[in-house]
């Protein structure tokens, strides 16, 4: 049986379970993959960890009203689908000072019309990349702020629909800072389920996305809030329920990775997967001996080991929840697709190979579109990292605006991790994407050049064929004329013709025609050029002569009339 730690208050008790027990560890795995789960709260230190699942509104209030204690100095509150837990979200927002606007955006439920629109957009595999520089949470409109007049229900629905539509773009993110928390919201990517049936349609390299809020609070608490899952359209011949279950698992996979490694049962589980490893709980032991409060420059406690552990663990937990390498995976698919397109395009250098434009041009177009969307996403992450570091530094101007006991800080280790992550986004992701886009542009130019070259070669072959026909006509046309002449039924002529006469004439005319094929063709071109030059000279003389006649007669030219 799992041992429980009970936090008792009034007439109800909150049952926390020992997260280091095998039964509770397996229960956490099932909780994360269950679509009907509502929330969980984890409290942990280096020595121990405990977890509670599916807390009610009163239970959540009871937990949040109490700061983490010395045995469990770090707290993580996770909420699934806040739109159906408005009371829980009000309790969280009340504790950490969320504005009614921010709380309303977090709990906004999508209308059936908006879900249908989003479904159609995803099914058409089209995305809008219009950058939006408006902060909708601060009320920024086209002229700096929205009109202050009351909105009727129709206008309000239109405003929410506009916000949801903007939020669906990958390059949109949201930040908000209160007296007790720093909150960010952005789109995170997750893997697409593998279809069981083969499809002949191109699958976009852009993975599906989901919206998540993260908040770093001043009492060593981290909040993660996942909006209602919005699944991609299920491919034809695939089982709908199985597809949604698989996508939900991928959607929550990163949260599950971080959660399981807060238990001692999960340490060895991720030894073979370094990209999914995190050291939130393990690093707390080193923090106790190696990290001093003066070294970290984040102390709001005086020489307190518990404060040191809480700051370090909270900062690292916030970082690892933010860091998700799923977005980097599809770049390998883009490289493979580029290699395939390069091979197909370069095959056009062979005269007997013809690639279908209906395959190459759309593939290059959609690949370029997906990569540009990736570029917007990583630029969004980089900008978000810069804002996190600006707020997380203890000496930042933004932090100095708040009371010292209410500031939100990140430790130096977490700040350095965010800094390295920003460098990786630039030098590995953004530079790689830029290189792919340049390669696509080069491939497009190469393909059109090769196509133009083949067209030129086809035109040259057609010209040679026409020249051959012209030369054959030069050879056979005089012979045809001679044969027609000898076939004229005029008695005064044909009575003097004999067979020898015909063949002698045939030999002479055929010989002359044959010689003309080699000599008179060039001579004909020479005389044709001379005749063109003569025609130009005669035209100039004629124009000058007509002008002189007009001057003698007294007529004005049309140009003179227009000048007058």
């Amino acid at each position: 049986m799992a041992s429980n730690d009970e936090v008792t208050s009034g007439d109800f008790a909150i049952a926390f379970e020992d997260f280091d027990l095998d039964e509770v560890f397996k229960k956490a795995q099932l909780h994360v993959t269950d679509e009907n789960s509502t929330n969980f709260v984890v409290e942990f230190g280096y020595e121990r960890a405990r977890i509670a699942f599916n807390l009610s509104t009163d239970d959540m209030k009871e937990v949040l009203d109490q700061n983490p204690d010395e045995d469990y100095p770090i707290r993580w509150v996770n909420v699934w689908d806040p739109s159906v837990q408005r009371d829980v979200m009000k309790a969280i927002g009340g504790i950490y000072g969320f504005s009614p606007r921010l709380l309303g955006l977090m709990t906004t439920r999508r209308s059936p019309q908006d879900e249908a629109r989003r479904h159609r957009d995803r099914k058409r595999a089209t995305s809008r990349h219009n950058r939006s520089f408006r902060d909708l949470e601060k009320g920024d409109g086209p002229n700096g702020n929205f009109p202050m007049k009351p909105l009727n229900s129709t206008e309000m629905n239109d405003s929410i629909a506009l916000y949801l539509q903007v939020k669906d773009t990958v390059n949109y993110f949201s930040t908000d800072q209160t007296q007790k928390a720093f909150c960010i919201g952005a789109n995170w990517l997750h893997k697409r389920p593998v279809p069981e049936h083969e499809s002949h349609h191109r699958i976009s390299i852009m993975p599906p996305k989901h919206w998540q809020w993260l908040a770093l609070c001043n009492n060593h608490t981290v909040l993660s809030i996942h909006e209602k899952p919005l699944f991609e359209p299920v491919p034809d011949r695939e089982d709908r329920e199985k597809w949604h279950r698989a996508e939900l698992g991928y959607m929550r996979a990163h949260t599950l990775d971080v959660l399981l490694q807060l238990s001692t049962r999960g340490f060895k589980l991720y030894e073979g997967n370094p990209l999914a490893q995190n050291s939130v709980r393990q690093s707390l032991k080193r923090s106790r001996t190696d990290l001093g409060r003066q070294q970290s420059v984040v102390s709001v406690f005086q020489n307190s080991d518990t404060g040191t552990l809480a700051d370090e663990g909270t900062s690292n937990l916030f970082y690892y929840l933010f860091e998700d390498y799923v977005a980097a995976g599809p770049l390998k698919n883009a490289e493979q697709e580029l290699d395939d397109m390069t091979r197909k395009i370069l095959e056009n250098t062979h005269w007997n190979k013809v690639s279908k434009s209906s395959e190459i041009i759309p593939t290059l177009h959609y690949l370029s579109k997906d990569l540009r969307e990736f570029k917007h996403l990583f630029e969004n992450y980089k900008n978000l990292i810069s804002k996190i570091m600006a707020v997380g530094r203890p000496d930042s101007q933004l932090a100095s605006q708040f009371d010292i006991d209410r500031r939100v800080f990140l430790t130096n280790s977490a700040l350095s991790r965010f800094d390295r992550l920003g460098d990786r986004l630039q030098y590995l992701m953004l530079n790689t994407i830029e290189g792919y886009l340049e390669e696509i542009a080069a491939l497009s130019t190469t393909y059109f050049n090769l196509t133009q070259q083949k067209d030129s070669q086809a035109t040259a072959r057609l010209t040679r064929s026409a020249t051959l026909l012209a030369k054959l006509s030069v050879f056979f046309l005089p012979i045809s004329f001679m044969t027609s002449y000898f076939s004229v039924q005029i008695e005064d002529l044909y009575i003097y013709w004999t067979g020898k006469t015909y063949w002698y004439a045939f030999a002479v005319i055929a010989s002359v025609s044959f010689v003309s094929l080699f000599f008179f063709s060039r001579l004909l071109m020479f005389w044709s050029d001379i005749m063109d030059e003569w025609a130009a000279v005669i035209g100039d003389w004629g124009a000058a002569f007509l002008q002189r006649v007009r001057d003698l007669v007294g007529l004005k030219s049309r140009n003179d009339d227009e000048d007058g």
Side-chain angles (χ1 to χ4, degrees):
M1 295 292 293
S3 63
N4 296 341
D5 297 321
E6 292 189 352
V7 181
T8 306
S9 177
D11 297 332
F12 63 91
I14 305 169
F16 276 94
E17 302 176 75
D18 188 351
F19 197 18
D20 291 332
L21 296 179
D22 187 60
E23 295 179 10
V24 181
F25 183 78
K26 294 179 180 179
K27 185 177 179 180
Q29 290 177 297
L30 296 176
H31 170 87
V32 173
T33 56
D34 185 4
E35 189 174 0
N36 296 320
S37 300
T38 57
N39 55 67
F40 66 79
V41 176
V42 183
E43 294 182 345
F44 64 95
Y46 175 73
E47 298 293 340
R48 57 183 64 87
R50 62 185 182 183
I51 187 171
F53 304 102
N54 301 327
L55 277 69
S56 65
T57 303
D58 293 336
D59 293 342
M60 187 66 71
K61 289 180 179 179
E62 178 64 26
V63 171
L64 296 178
D65 283 339
Q66 303 177 30
N67 287 325
D69 55 33
E70 294 185 0
D71 293 331
Y72 303 94
I74 306 161
R75 176 182 295 158
W76 174 18
V77 179
N78 183 86
V79 178
W80 311 110
D81 189 6
S83 63
V84 297
Q85 303 181 70
R86 294 178 180 271
D87 293 337
V88 171
M89 291 303 302
K90 286 181 180 179
I92 295 174
I95 294 294
Y96 296 108
F98 289 174
S99 65
R101 183 184 184 86
L102 177 61
L103 197 60
L105 294 178
M106 286 183 173
T107 57
T108 297
R109 178 186 292 272
R110 290 182 179 269
S111 64
Q113 294 82 0
D114 182 72
E115 291 189 2
R117 176 198 59 78
R118 196 169 189 265
H119 182 85
R120 287 195 304 269
D121 290 344
R122 286 192 170 192
K123 195 169 185 179
R124 287 194 303 264
T126 58
S127 299
R128 298 177 177 86
H129 297 300
N130 299 327
R131 280 188 172 272
S132 175
F133 295 95
R134 306 173 189 173
D135 190 344
L136 297 180
E137 292 179 14
K138 295 180 179 179
D140 292 345
N143 299 319
N145 46 62
F146 287 107
M148 299 304 295
K149 65 178 182 179
L151 298 177
N152 57 40
S153 59
T154 304
E155 291 174 334
M156 192 175 301
N157 292 336
D158 291 342
S159 300
I160 293 297
L162 176 60
Y163 165 73
L164 294 175
Q165 187 173 355
V166 171
K167 193 173 70 171
D168 284 340
T169 60
V170 295
N171 53 302
Y172 176 76
F173 68 90
S174 175
T175 60
D176 193 272
Q177 187 170 11
T178 70
Q179 288 283 345
K180 298 182 179 181
F182 174 66
C183 180
I184 63 172
N187 283 299
W188 269 262
L189 302 182
H190 58 270
K191 292 176 61 177
R192 180 180 288 107
V194 179
E196 296 181 355
H197 301 87
E198 184 178 358
S199 174
H200 299 289
H201 300 287
R202 177 187 179 273
I203 299 178
S204 173
I205 65 171
M206 186 69 186
K209 59 183 179 294
H210 60 278
W211 184 271
Q212 180 182 359
W213 300 89
L214 293 177
L216 179 65
C217 306
N218 69 330
N219 64 340
H220 307 122
T221 299
V222 175
L223 307 177
S224 60
I225 302 167
H226 304 255
E227 292 197 351
K228 179 183 178 181
L230 295 172
F231 301 106
E232 278 203 327
V234 181
D236 297 336
R237 300 185 299 167
E238 298 293 334
D239 183 80
R240 181 182 180 86
E241 183 178 352
K242 186 176 181 181
W243 182 274
H244 285 178
R245 187 166 58 250
E247 186 174 358
L248 180 66
Y250 288 131
M251 196 180 298
R252 298 180 177 180
H254 181 65
T255 303
L256 181 63
D257 291 339
V258 177
L259 175 63
L260 295 184
Q261 293 181 75
L262 297 181
S263 170
T264 55
R265 302 284 177 176
F267 292 168
K268 294 183 179 181
L269 192 62
Y270 290 86
E271 288 181 351
N273 188 2
L275 287 181
Q277 283 182 352
N278 67 69
S279 56
V280 176
R281 186 172 172 184
Q282 298 94 314
S283 64
L284 300 180
K285 181 179 182 180
R286 294 192 298 271
S287 300
R288 186 182 296 273
T289 57
D290 300 336
L291 180 66
R293 299 299 295 171
Q294 302 301 323
Q295 291 174 318
S296 65
V297 204
V298 297
S299 179
V300 294
F301 307 92
Q302 294 296 328
N303 299 322
S304 171
D305 287 341
T306 302
T308 301
L309 291 173
D311 287 337
E312 182 70 11
T314 305
S315 299
N316 288 334
L317 177 60
F318 182 77
Y319 169 77
Y320 284 115
L321 286 174
F322 181 91
E323 180 196 52
D324 189 356
Y325 284 100
V326 172
L331 293 182
K332 186 66 177 177
N333 298 334
E335 182 181 5
Q336 180 63 41
E337 199 162 359
L338 271 177
D339 291 340
D340 294 340
M341 286 294 101
T342 302
R343 177 180 53 80
K344 290 182 179 180
I345 290 174
L346 294 182
E347 282 179 353
N348 280 350
T349 56
H350 304 290
W351 67 272
N352 58 341
K353 291 287 187 179
V354 179
S355 299
K356 295 182 179 179
S357 299
S358 59
E359 295 178 357
I360 293 178
I361 295 178
T363 302
L364 290 178
H365 168 73
Y366 287 114
L367 182 59
S368 177
K369 177 177 177 294
D370 291 341
L371 288 174
R372 288 196 302 271
E373 197 168 3
F374 266 117
K375 184 178 179 181
H376 295 326
L377 178 69
F378 288 123
E379 288 175 343
N380 169 47
Y381 287 160
K382 189 177 178 182
N383 292 335
L384 195 53
I385 288 173
S386 65
K387 292 185 179 296
I388 291 173
M389 295 183 66
V391 175
R393 285 192 174 93
D395 56 348
S396 66
Q397 294 181 355
L398 292 175
S400 63
Q401 298 175 3
F402 301 96
D403 298 336
I404 190 170
D405 59 338
R406 293 183 175 183
R407 293 182 187 176
V408 176
F409 296 119
L410 290 172
T411 60
N412 284 348
S413 61
L415 286 172
S416 63
R417 286 189 176 97
F418 274 111
D419 187 49
R420 293 194 299 270
L421 181 60
D423 291 340
R424 288 195 293 270
L425 289 178
Q426 177 63 51
Y427 297 114
L428 295 181
M429 305 303 178
L430 289 174
N431 289 356
T432 300
I433 292 173
E434 193 65 33
Y436 286 162
L437 291 174
E438 292 176 357
E439 186 174 352
I440 289 175
L443 284 176
S444 301
T445 303
T446 301
Y447 176 71
F448 286 115
N449 288 340
L450 290 174
T451 303
Q452 186 177 7
Q453 183 180 6
K454 283 197 169 185
D455 292 341
S456 300
Q457 293 174 351
T459 303
R461 287 195 298 269
L462 182 61
T463 303
R464 288 195 298 269
S465 300
T467 303
L468 178 60
L469 292 175
K471 289 183 177 181
L472 291 176
S473 65
V474 170
F475 182 79
F476 286 105
L477 187 59
I479 296 177
S480 301
F481 176 77
M482 181 205 67
T483 303
S484 300
Y485 178 79
F486 279 100
S487 64
V488 174
Q489 298 298 317
I490 300 177
E491 185 176 358
D492 293 339
L493 296 177
Y494 70 78
I495 59 175
Y496 299 104
W497 297 339
T498 63
K500 290 184 179 180
T501 305
Y502 175 80
W503 289 113
Y504 287 152
F506 179 85
V508 172
I509 293 176
S511 299
V512 172
S513 298
F514 184 76
V515 173
S516 299
L517 292 177
F518 299 96
F519 297 101
F520 289 106
S521 59
R522 293 182 179 273
L523 184 61
L524 185 61
M525 292 180 62
F526 173 74
W527 282 106
S528 177
D529 293 339
I530 291 179
M531 294 297 292
D532 290 340
E533 293 178 0
W534 287 359
V537 172
I538 293 172
D540 293 339
W541 288 352
F545 176 75
L546 292 175
Q547 183 64 36
R548 180 170 297 181
V549 170
R550 289 194 185 98
D551 293 340
L552 293 175
V553 176
L555 298 176
K556 292 183 178 181
S557 63
R558 182 176 300 176
N559 294 334
D560 294 338
D561 293 339
E562 292 177 356
D563 294 338

